Amino acid sequence: MTTLYLSDGIIKDEILVVGLSHKKSMRDGKASLVIESGDIALDTKKLLSILADMGATGNSDEVIKIPGITTRLLVFTGLGENKAAIDDEVLRRAAGAAARALSGSSSATFSLPTKKISTLEAIAEGVLLGSYIFNKFRVDSLAERNPSLKSATLHSKQAGSPGAKEAIKRASVIGKYSALTRDLINTPPSHLTPDSFCKEFTSIVKKIGGTAAGLKISIMTETQLKAKGYGGITAVGQGSANPPRLLHISYRPVKAAAKKNYAYVGKGITFDSGGLALKPAAGMEAMKSDMSGAAAVCAATIAIAVMKLPVAIDCYAPLAENMISDNATRPSDIITMYGGKTIEVLNPDAEGRLVLGDALVKAQENKGLDGIVDVATLTGAQVVALGTRTAAIMTNNQDFSDHFFAISKVAGEAFWPMPLPVELRASLDSPVADMANIGERMGGMLVAGLFLKEFISADLPWLHLDIAGPAYNEGDAYGYTPVGGTGMALRSLVALAQSAAIS
Ligand code: BES
Ligand code: MN
Ligand code: ZN
């Protein structure tokens, strides 16, 4: 990961990154460029004419490098339309795009407008998120790949304040655990199984101090899950040679009292072949990302522990591989979920709701919860409804949803509220069991949400986050978002805990 430094003094690096925005004159409608170099003064007149000659636009995701005057290289990163108060997320993305464009470089100074500490923090996050590269499985091709930008100095008048140091620390935690989330998502099922997922977190918990850090981890094996009646997790996992698990990470603040008590539950399908409802070959490889929810909730819980936030988190990851074999769950099979509900499995590809149902019931055995949040790459319908960059929030509690929505916006993650229309519920009725695992096709994201709602006690504030689209980027990199795993939901989950800490 890129190492971050703060400075308000002279620039020591050979690369200087500044912002570039565009504006339209009210008088003659002509477009012009504006250099946003924060607390560093540049000879903008000459630079602006060079940039104009080069056809610079200042649009977001445009990164232009020119020979510098006082530094060897001057890098302009697009901020889009010129604004008196630039949005933190615009700067987060611009910093990310520049950091990505600087892979292979050893150090760079970023000088962007940082009027508030939160802005400095956003820029720091952008640099760390944007410089991420997944090279774990390259051997022969590694040498021809540029490594991540080694270090970045954030230039700001705020550099000396204690608030700035804290901001950099928090950003580094976000950067580190976003990278962990992305690494897990990008790791293929040949190398990431329910068991190895658990081992990874067991070793992380140990490394950061275990009980001394307030963390406890427990893992249920397939035998234990069967014995205790976790019919959803075992039904989904039974077709695979890699048996299922239920991972539980609990965090309790060590010295402070917990101000809020949340359960985070993440879908952990290490590979979703569709089971006997086999998915088409084209695009099936993206289903290595079907554990994105589990990765996000577990990594967020570790991040919250590292930040020592005064909240209690119980994190559950129901882990299974959805495969085909003579032992795989068949369409028409009836299973008994943890807690006793029976489900007719009409479609083994609607497996996420089965593993989540079990885990949600388990999580609610803790009677002191203030809220429960599940995170899942649950439906293709989510992607159809909101596209690849916006995730959905569904809820039984408008206040909780509004609160989360506001927080996620500040964290720079795009969520949008979606309804749970009661009239769709009847489509999940089964002629033979308590419920079927699929219902009406239209509004499939909402139907999946309604299925999960059946496992939530009515008086417990609940959020269901369907991140099917934004969890995994199959297109080009943009802003601070790389190709592959994105880390979607991690920042909002940490921010939710932070907001509880200050309430
Ligand atoms: N993991 C998929 C959903 C998904 C699709 C995630 C695309 C990311 C990108 C999920 O398990 C699934 O297969 N859902 C089915 C449900 C259907 C059978 C009711 C779907 O969306 O087609
Ligand atoms: Mn599926
Ligand atoms: Zn799935």
Side-chain angles (χ1 to χ4, degrees):
M1 197 169 77
T2 307
T3 311
L4 292 180
Y5 300 100
L6 280 164
S7 164
D8 56 2
I10 52 158
I11 302 164
K12 296 190 183 123
D13 293 319
E14 296 196 320
I15 303 173
L16 175 62
V17 179
V18 299
L20 186 67
S21 61
H22 57 77
K23 71 171 172 197
K24 235 182 195 157
S25 156
M26 294 286 255
R27 218 165 4 93
D28 54 12
K30 264 199 188 149
S32 61
L33 297 169
V34 182
I35 293 172
E36 300 277 6
S37 54
D39 301 320
I40 291 176
L42 293 176
D43 177 6
T44 55
K45 209 174 154 206
K46 189 170 165 207
L47 290 170
L48 284 172
S49 72
I50 296 171
L51 287 165
D53 287 346
M54 292 180 74
T57 64
N59 287 336
S60 60
D61 272 302
E62 179 186 75
V63 177
I64 293 179
K65 300 175 184 173
I66 65 170
I69 302 154
T70 51
T71 58
R72 200 159 56 84
L73 204 65
L74 194 48
V75 181
F76 295 91
T77 184
L79 301 173
E81 199 183 320
N82 183 260
K83 290 207 173 109
I86 307 169
D87 203 65
D88 283 352
E89 173 64 2
V90 167
L91 290 162
R92 193 184 277 113
R93 288 188 191 188
R100 185 156 41 78
L102 288 171
S103 68
S105 303
S106 64
S107 67
T109 291
F110 286 66
S111 188
L112 292 157
T114 54
K115 290 200 188 100
K116 295 174 290 156
I117 290 289
S118 70
T119 307
L120 188 67
E121 189 167 340
I123 293 167
E125 287 178 359
V127 170
L128 298 177
L129 294 168
S131 62
Y132 172 86
I133 297 174
F134 186 68
N135 270 339
K136 202 172 153 195
F137 293 96
R138 291 188 186 279
V139 179
D140 261 15
S141 58
L142 186 62
E144 65 219 36
R145 294 275 161 163
N146 281 330
S148 294
L149 172 66
K150 269 204 204 74
S151 80
T153 299
L154 305 189
H155 196 279
S156 167
K157 271 190 191 144
Q158 312 242 35
S161 75
K165 266 205 198 103
E166 289 301 312
I168 297 300
K169 258 200 212 159
R170 283 193 301 269
S172 302
V173 175
I174 292 292
K176 181 166 177 184
Y177 293 102
S178 296
L180 169 65
T181 308
R182 291 168 172 183
D183 282 349
L184 289 167
I185 297 169
N186 293 333
T187 302
S190 51
H191 292 74
L192 186 74
T193 62
D195 179 57
S196 74
F197 188 104
C198 292
K199 290 199 167 109
E200 176 76 20
F201 277 98
T202 303
S203 101
I204 291 167
V205 164
K206 205 166 165 193
K207 215 183 298 165
I208 65 169
T211 48
L215 287 166
K216 273 190 203 143
I217 190 162
S218 63
I219 297 151
M220 289 177 88
T221 62
E222 185 175 33
T223 318
Q224 292 167 324
L225 289 167
K226 265 195 192 137
K228 297 240 161 82
Y230 290 83
I233 301 172
T234 51
V236 174
Q238 73 192 27
S240 171
N242 300 304
R245 296 280 186 270
L246 177 60
L247 172 64
H248 175 204
I249 306 173
S250 94
Y251 165 65
R252 297 290 179 275
V254 175
K255 279 181 191 139
K259 297 206 173 152
K260 283 270 157 65
N261 206 316
Y262 289 128
Y264 289 174
V265 179
K267 173 177 173 182
I269 302 299
T270 51
F271 188 72
D272 183 9
S273 73
L276 284 170
L278 188 64
K279 287 180 182 295
M284 199 199 276
E285 70 281 359
M287 284 302 119
K288 72 173 179 180
S289 69
D290 213 18
M291 33 52 69
S292 297
V297 295
C298 292
T301 303
I302 305 291
I304 289 164
V306 170
M307 290 184 185
K308 301 186 167 62
L309 297 175
V311 292
I313 305 285
D314 279 291
C315 167
Y316 288 90
L319 297 150
E321 191 180 48
N322 191 19
M323 295 290 278
I324 290 182
S325 80
D326 56 349
N327 197 37
T329 296
R330 296 149 293 234
S332 79
D333 277 357
I334 295 176
I335 62 172
T336 303
M337 304 280 285
Y338 188 64
K341 264 195 217 334
T342 59
I343 304 293
E344 182 188 15
V345 181
L346 290 178
N347 190 328
D349 197 13
E351 84 297 341
R353 57 197 79 181
L354 301 178
V355 301
L356 286 171
D358 276 356
L360 287 169
V361 171
K362 174 64 183 173
Q364 288 168 96
E365 286 178 356
N366 173 356
K367 293 301 169 200
L369 290 180
D370 294 298
I372 186 164
V373 184
D374 75 71
V375 187
T377 49
L378 203 60
T379 64
Q382 190 281 320
V383 200
V384 175
L386 290 171
T388 55
R389 295 192 187 183
T390 306
I393 317 176
M394 283 152 270
T395 189
N396 62 357
N397 184 302
Q398 198 55 45
D399 286 346
F400 194 26
S401 174
D402 290 348
H403 177 62
F404 182 85
F405 180 63
I407 278 170
S408 65
K409 208 164 173 211
V410 175
E413 291 188 320
F415 281 91
W416 199 255
M418 282 286 155
L420 291 171
V422 280
E423 69 273 15
L424 287 175
R425 167 60 187 84
S427 70
L428 286 163
D429 287 347
S430 159
V432 290
D434 294 338
M435 208 167 31
N437 78 328
I438 56 167
E440 162 75 48
R441 201 173 74 86
M442 297 297 165
M445 162 174 58
L446 320 176
V447 174
L450 285 163
F451 182 94
L452 295 180
K453 193 174 177 216
E454 292 296 319
F455 297 89
I456 303 288
S457 112
D459 53 1
L460 178 64
W462 162 65
L463 301 178
H464 162 48
L465 309 178
D466 193 338
I467 60 167
Y472 190 72
N473 177 19
E474 293 187 70
D476 293 333
Y478 59 92
Y480 53 75
T481 306
V483 173
T486 64
M488 181 67 179
L490 177 127
R491 299 207 301 282
S492 299
L493 291 168
V494 173
L496 179 63
Q498 283 169 328
S499 80
I502 57 175
S503 67

